[in-house]
Amino acid sequence: MTLPQSFKASAIMPTVAEIRKDFPILEQQVHGHPLAYLDSTASSQKPIQVIEAMNRYYRTTHANVHRGVHYLSEAATTAYENARLNIARFINAPSPKQIIYTRNTTESLNLVAYSWGRANLGPGDEVLITEMEHHSNIVPWQLICEITGATLRYVPITSRGELDMEALDSLLTEKIRVFAFTAMSNVLGTINPVEELVARAHAVGAIAVVDGAQSVPHLPTDVQAMDMDFLAFSSHKMLGPTGMGILYGKRELLEAMPPFMGGGDMIREVKMEGSRWNELPYKFEAGTPAIAEAVGLSAAVDYLRGIGMDWIADHERRITAYAWERLSEVEGLRILGPGPERRGGLISFVLGDVHPHDVAAILDMDGIAVRAGHHCAQPIHDHYCIPATTRASFYIYNTEEEVDRLVMALYKAKAMFDL
Ligand code: PLP
């Protein structure tokens, strides 16, 4: 395990100030103000350790993987496969063969929906998802239900922004073949009880597919303890590069599934009459993969591990509780979702009847980057009968001072709109 450079001296307890030194992008001014980056739920920033690992790879190691006998091809293959092993260890997967490289969470979820779904779903079967899903855990299931004739059902949410567990009881019948849900909502911040939901799915014979896009970057993850059948997540939300995602799956399920895409590397043999598939994980990795991105994600995993996922979860709990308290004091501001004790590091809100895009534009003038819109989760906005929200989100490099600046800028917005 490589500790991030700046923590070698202090080794155990990093400070946010030390962490920030590793993120060159945070040093800049935006519209004459220091950048306050409160948009990590959309995509996190990258530490120099990740940037340098990718730079070093391209300067010294790059060639195509798995195909050559020359020195560089072997070195690139080793870097690519070591990254897979490192990622497997990060989530406690039993084997790197169960780590499939994809482009992002979206592709990971599509892979399961199409590959597992085409082989296992038919008329009379049901797929269960929740009202708080990101579009990437809704649309693939809508599409596969259309193809297979299965029926899609949704677990509703309560007025507190949590899954309605009583409704879940009645929905989770033996017709359900797959229960796919987010570990953490990207709009409400709600942290779902993953182990309990997985156990309930298994009790009716369904498989459990977990969207970990918002949980893996922020909370400790142990796929064996949690027992999910599939877990999807994105590198770019956990300090790694874009263009890289992971699908973890249970081995027997992955073995039994047909390939998702066809092409080079995913085959054992191709004849004009037909083809045979490569072993795991390559069966699901057609074509030249994102090699430097795998190296970058591995460096990000080292960085997160160096800080400690428990430290990260604690830091985010503290800063979210502080932000919750300060934002709750702003008259006319409505926060969506549960209290700070049951949510991850993000807060979505509406400010009176000001359009969230206007709020975000005003904050931007003060150098504060937040996101506004439906956050690719329209059904949950429909639930609250609003088209959009403004969302502030927090990660390892955010400070309470940035929260204070957010609140001050919101008062400015209120004054501008006479609220
Ligand atoms: N699921 C959740 C909960 C998300 O927040 C996101 C992205 O915001 C995704 C899935 C999709 O991630 P990606 O765009 O990296 O595929």
Side-chain angles (χ1 to χ4, degrees):
M1 177 179 86
T2 332
L3 272 179
Q5 258 329 11
S6 34
F7 308 141
K8 290 222 166 113
S10 58
I12 301 169
M13 275 296 160
T15 65
V16 176
E18 282 174 319
I19 289 171
R20 288 179 72 88
K21 286 190 201 137
D22 288 332
F23 290 80
I25 205 168
L26 299 179
E27 287 162 17
Q28 68 190 285
Q29 303 265 316
V30 171
H31 303 308
H33 301 272
L35 169 65
Y37 187 75
L38 303 181
D39 195 20
S40 297
T41 291
S43 198
S44 71
Q45 297 301 348
K46 323 299 170 200
I48 40 178
Q49 289 80 350
V50 169
I51 298 165
E52 280 173 3
M54 294 178 74
N55 191 322
R56 200 164 45 244
Y57 167 79
Y58 274 129
R59 281 171 174 271
T60 64
T61 316
H62 177 69
N64 212 335
V65 290
H66 299 152
R67 295 186 194 162
V69 286
H70 63 79
Y71 170 80
L72 274 186
S73 177
E74 285 185 8
T77 303
T78 302
Y80 181 71
E81 293 304 335
N82 281 348
R84 195 191 305 272
L85 183 61
N86 198 23
I87 295 156
R89 287 186 180 147
F90 184 65
I91 58 168
N92 195 29
S95 158
K97 289 182 187 299
Q98 291 164 260
I99 300 294
I100 317 291
Y101 288 129
T102 62
R103 281 185 306 137
N104 44 39
T105 304
T106 303
E107 187 172 301
S108 298
L109 292 168
N110 273 275
L111 194 164
V112 179
Y114 280 90
S115 182
W116 183 90
R118 268 204 325 259
N120 290 284
L121 294 173
D125 291 333
E126 292 182 1
V127 172
L128 187 61
I129 60 175
T130 86
E131 207 180 350
M132 65 167 79
E133 298 308 312
H134 187 279
H135 295 165
S136 66
N137 202 27
I138 299 176
V139 183
W141 299 111
Q142 289 176 334
L143 290 168
I144 200 66
C145 284
E146 232 170 74
I147 293 168
T148 60
T151 303
L152 184 60
R153 303 214 180 274
Y154 294 80
V155 183
I157 63 161
T158 64
S159 55
R160 289 162 51 100
E162 293 172 329
L163 290 182
D164 183 335
M165 297 304 250
E166 273 177 30
L168 175 64
D169 272 342
S170 54
L171 282 162
L172 211 44
T173 65
E174 287 183 359
K175 285 189 189 161
I176 302 288
R177 303 292 317 283
V178 47
F179 180 24
F181 58 90
T182 187
M184 187 198 295
S185 160
N186 66 316
V187 176
L188 305 174
T190 314
I191 297 176
N192 285 323
V194 174
E195 284 95 330
E196 182 186 343
L197 298 177
V198 169
R200 288 206 196 192
H202 289 169
V204 296
I207 63 160
V209 178
V210 177
D211 173 352
Q214 296 303 341
S215 64
V216 176
H218 303 282
L219 301 167
T221 304
D222 179 335
V223 291
Q224 295 188 67
M226 293 167 138
D227 200 29
M228 67 273 280
D229 298 285
F230 293 100
L231 173 70
F233 55 100
S234 293
S235 152
H236 71 97
K237 293 184 195 286
M238 53 189 287
L239 312 182
T242 53
M244 166 58 57
I246 298 294
L247 176 68
Y248 156 82
K250 282 195 180 155
R251 193 164 183 153
E252 60 281 11
L253 292 170
L254 291 171
E255 297 276 13
M257 280 156 57
F260 178 43
M261 286 192 281
D265 233 25
M266 52 72 70
I267 49 84
R268 187 180 303 286
E269 182 184 62
V270 178
K271 297 283 180 204
M272 283 168 67
E273 301 71 38
S275 305
R276 291 191 304 124
W277 317 135
N278 205 340
E279 63 184 9
L280 289 179
Y282 312 115
K283 179 171 75 172
F284 295 107
E285 293 177 4
T288 299
I291 311 164
E293 286 75 7
V295 169
L297 174 57
S298 182
V301 159
D302 283 340
Y303 192 91
L304 291 170
R305 199 188 271 128
I307 298 177
M309 293 309 293
D310 288 329
W311 185 94
I312 293 171
D314 270 358
H315 168 69
E316 289 178 20
R317 250 191 302 274
R318 267 195 307 274
I319 196 162
T320 307
Y322 180 70
W324 170 275
E325 198 184 303
R326 295 293 325 270
L327 289 170
S328 301
E329 290 162 8
V330 181
E331 228 172 277
L333 185 146
R334 175 183 168 211
I335 295 175
L336 269 65
E341 70 289 351
R342 307 181 75 117
R343 67 161 66 218
L346 67 95
I347 299 183
S348 300
F349 57 87
V350 282
L351 185 63
D353 56 1
V354 186
H355 195 285
H357 281 132
D358 292 336
V359 175
I362 293 166
L363 297 181
D364 183 54
M365 290 318 293
D366 277 0
I368 301 165
V370 296
R371 187 142 295 243
H374 56 58
H375 316 297
C376 297
Q378 280 183 327
I380 198 67
H381 284 83
D382 290 346
H383 173 95
Y384 287 97
C385 302
I386 46 174
T389 49
T390 306
R391 180 182 71 194
S393 54
F394 314 110
Y395 208 8
I396 50 175
Y397 32 67
N398 292 120
T399 63
E400 292 188 354
E401 191 218 328
E402 289 175 319
V403 172
D404 292 339
R405 284 181 53 203
L406 167 70
V407 173
M408 289 302 293
L410 286 169
Y411 277 111
K412 229 191 235 180
K414 269 171 64 99
M416 285 170 79
F417 284 92
D418 263 342
L419 278 182

